[in-house]
Amino acid sequence: MISVSIACSKPFLNRCIRKENPAQEVATRTGLRNYFQEVSEDLESCSVDILWLCVIAFVFSLLTLVLLRILPGLIVWLVLLAVIVVCTVGTIWLWVKWHFETEQMSSEAGEGAKARVNNYLYYAIAATVATLIVYLVILVMRKRIKLVVQLFREAGKAISNMPFLLMEPILTFISIAAVIVLYVYFTMWIESSGMLRVENNQSAHYVKDTTMLFTRWYNLLAFFWFCQFIIGCQHMVIAGAVACWFFTRNKSQLGSPILRAFGNLLRYHLGTVAFGSFVIAVVQFLRATLKLLMYSIREHQNRVTTCIFECCQCCLQCFEKFLQYLTRNAYIVTAMHGDSFCTAGKNAFRLLTNNALRVFAINSVGDFVLILAKVFVVVVTCLVGMELIQKKQGLHHPYVPIILVGIFAYLVAHCFMTVYEMTVDTIFLCFCEDCETNDGISRPYYMSRGLMEFVQNSKKALAVHDSRTASTLREGKAWTTDEGSGSRKKLTKAISETVD
């Protein structure tokens, strides 16, 4: 029920709203109005610097992709070395700290000092166990880590052959922004609707019936669904283009894989994306409902009910993450074979479970490297911004432009790394499918020579691959002798694509 003063109201979008803005009154009393005025002046004076910093964030994001393309092995192993060094140094420091506290503690020390020493001992033991686990995981997963490096290299090749894949997040961002605007617009209509009831000629009450209350929840579910649908469309287009690139032997004959993937999405796979996004949206809707329920009965909660609500919220969040991961891989299988969502989800789950160790290596090492790449772009942009903005005279709050530039740098880096992550996942599932479908001998692999080193019959497959390449070269030599230099150039390009 909404109460609105009739004398102090005005029309807005065919709705009746108050003339006085409570936010403005609060801002005036607390001094926030002056703060926002100063911030707007700072942003206006730093507008040129902010524009240059945005360009720097874009350039460093591209530079990071180039480094991942050229030096993936060096970057991955440097990251793993940094993790090992941090774990080792932290463990040694905890043991030294425990030893120092033990020597400082006298025999007549109180219970507080003994508890502090015991805590350091527990921390040191836990850090030692964690460090040993990290050592064992890296030792056991060293061959799979090499596969991660090769997948990063293949993803760089795919993006360099299809650079317009990097434009996909821009379309996604614009579409999600439009959905947010529509959600806010419809929310205003819903919240300002109802049966008008006037009391004492001074206030008007908008009373909502059951249908209007249902519309409020319907609008929220539609918002979740449309957002997940747009993200699913992006995943489907990227997966379709990368799968087309992977299963094309001669990469010079790709054509327009992005347009082909987009056409397949519109013609065949909209229902698959709609169903997958709806499942995720339902889980998000349940989480929002549970959160509202917790807020509505917060005054009557105790420790038991709070623990139950938190456990349910955690379970729903974990289930949502699992669904998002499985749905993304189901989109990849759909892009490869054109299966329905349920069939693609089952096949994707089978491929992932059959290659569990490889999946673990990719999700742990690969995602960690991409997160550090985002941090690298944000930190470099903020450091450059501090040098530029701090030189400005007369700024009231110089940290505000730096924070805004850091947020923009993170969004730009996240857009690029999301495409890279989806490309890596698609190439990995294509690699698993290629291993199951072909044997490299009677049925040649589609994968490159670098990926052939990670299959079971790698030696035989590489020998057959080299013999076929040699025969192609011999045939090409005889053919170019008759056809001339122009045909020789074409054949040399085709052979280089085959060898790669």
Side-chain angles (χ1 to χ4, degrees), residues 57-70:
F58 184 80
V59 171
F60 272 101
S61 298
L62 290 178
L63 178 62
T64 305
L65 290 181
V66 172
L67 291 176
L68 289 175
R69 167 73 171 88
I70 299 175

Side-chain angles (χ1 to χ4, degrees), residues 95-114:
W95 281 112
V96 171
K97 189 68 176 177
W98 170 77
H99 182 70
F100 177 78
E101 292 290 338
T102 303
E103 291 182 348
Q104 292 295 323
M105 186 183 66
S106 62
S107 58
E108 299 178 356
E111 294 295 332
K114 292 181 179 179

Side-chain angles (χ1 to χ4, degrees), residues 324-344:
Q324 287 178 345
Y325 181 74
L326 184 61
T327 300
R328 186 174 61 186
N329 287 276
Y331 292 157
I332 297 173
V333 176
T334 299
M336 286 192 295
H337 301 293
D339 297 332
S340 62
F341 178 78
C342 295
T343 304

Side-chain angles (χ1 to χ4, degrees), residues 125-369:
I125 293 174
T128 303
V129 173
T131 303
L132 291 176
I133 291 175
V134 169
Y135 287 161
L136 291 175
V137 168
I138 293 177
L139 181 63
V140 173
M141 303 290 292
R142 62 187 184 278
K143 293 184 179 180
R144 276 83 182 181
I145 293 173
K146 293 180 180 178
L147 175 61
V148 175
V149 173
Q150 187 60 35
L151 288 175
F152 270 70
R153 189 176 289 111
E154 296 294 327
K157 294 178 184 177
I159 293 178
S160 62
N161 288 335
M162 299 176 292
F164 286 105
L165 280 179
L166 299 176
M167 302 297 293
E168 279 293 318
I170 299 177
L171 298 177
T172 303
F173 177 78
I174 295 174
S175 301
I176 291 180
V179 170
I180 294 174
V181 171
L182 289 176
Y183 171 75
V184 173
Y185 176 74
F186 288 125
T187 300
M188 291 177 58
W189 275 85
I190 294 171
E191 296 303 324
S192 61
S193 63
M195 303 299 294
L196 182 62
R197 182 182 301 171
V198 181
E199 295 183 359
N200 299 325
N201 294 325
Q202 294 181 353
S203 61
H205 299 272
Y206 290 95
V207 182
K208 300 183 183 302
D209 56 11
T210 305
T211 303
M212 295 178 181
L213 294 175
F214 173 78
T215 306
R216 177 188 295 169
W217 295 104
Y218 176 80
N219 187 39
L220 181 62
L221 178 61
F223 170 71
F224 289 145
W225 190 3
F226 276 103
C227 288
Q228 292 300 321
F229 180 80
I230 293 170
I231 295 173
C233 289
Q234 172 185 317
H235 290 165
M236 186 69 75
V237 171
I238 296 175
V242 175
C244 178
W245 172 85
F246 185 91
F247 290 108
T248 300
R249 298 190 187 277
N250 188 358
K251 301 298 189 289
S252 62
Q253 298 178 354
L254 273 176
S256 302
I258 300 177
L259 293 178
R260 191 184 311 169
F262 187 74
N264 290 334
L265 169 67
L266 296 179
R267 187 174 181 182
Y268 303 111
H269 304 319
L270 283 180
T272 300
V273 178
F275 184 73
S277 58
F278 178 75
V279 173
I280 300 175
V282 169
V283 178
Q284 291 179 337
F285 180 76
L286 292 177
R287 287 187 59 197
T289 305
L290 183 62
K291 202 72 175 179
L292 180 62
L293 181 61
M294 291 174 59
Y295 179 79
S296 61
I297 62 173
R298 63 188 183 279
E299 298 178 355
H300 306 284
Q301 290 186 22
N302 51 33
R303 293 184 177 179
V304 177
T305 56
T306 303
C307 181
I308 293 174
F309 277 124
E310 293 295 336
C311 290
C312 293
Q313 193 71 242
C314 181
C315 292
L316 285 175
Q317 185 175 4
C318 294
F319 184 59
E320 178 187 348
K321 296 297 182 182
F322 171 76
L323 279 179
Q324 287 178 345
Y325 181 74
L326 184 61
T327 300
R328 186 174 61 186
N329 287 276
Y331 292 157
I332 297 173
V333 176
T334 299
M336 286 192 295
H337 301 293
D339 297 332
S340 62
F341 178 78
C342 295
T343 304
K346 182 183 67 175
N347 293 333
F349 186 78
R350 176 181 55 81
L351 288 174
L352 294 175
T353 52
N354 292 339
N355 301 271
L357 292 178
R358 292 171 175 174
V359 172
F360 176 77
I362 294 171
N363 290 337
S364 56
V365 179
D367 291 348
F368 187 63
V369 170

